[in-house]
Amino acid sequence: MSAPTQTPPHPATRGGVDIRLPWWALALPTLAFVVLLALILNPADAHAASGDPLLTQFLGRVQQLIAR
């Protein structure tokens, strides 16, 4: 009695699937890397953001109103 033979599976065909990245998917991480590297190499250029006292008071008041 002979066993049935199995045929090898057909290779997957490219069904028109296009796997390409948009330009910004590479440009934005590259830009972020360069900016962070520049800040590490020259930390004197990294200035702390100065907060406006009026804006700080306003946000504090909003936080108090939300907490009630």
Side-chain angles (χ1 to χ4, degrees):
M1 179 188 255
S2 64
T5 60
Q6 294 181 354
T7 58
H10 297 293
T13 58
R14 293 187 62 146
V17 177
D18 190 16
I19 305 175
R20 290 190 305 182
L21 291 174
W23 65 269
W24 50 265
L26 293 175
L28 292 180
T30 303
L31 178 65
F33 177 77
V34 169
V35 168
L36 291 174
L37 184 63
L39 288 175
I40 290 172
L41 293 177
N42 193 1
D45 291 339
H47 302 289
S50 62
D52 186 16
L54 182 63
L55 180 63
T56 305
Q57 291 175 0
F58 174 73
L59 292 176
R61 183 69 72 177
V62 170
Q63 184 179 13
Q64 288 176 355
L65 291 174
I66 292 173
R68 289 184 183 184

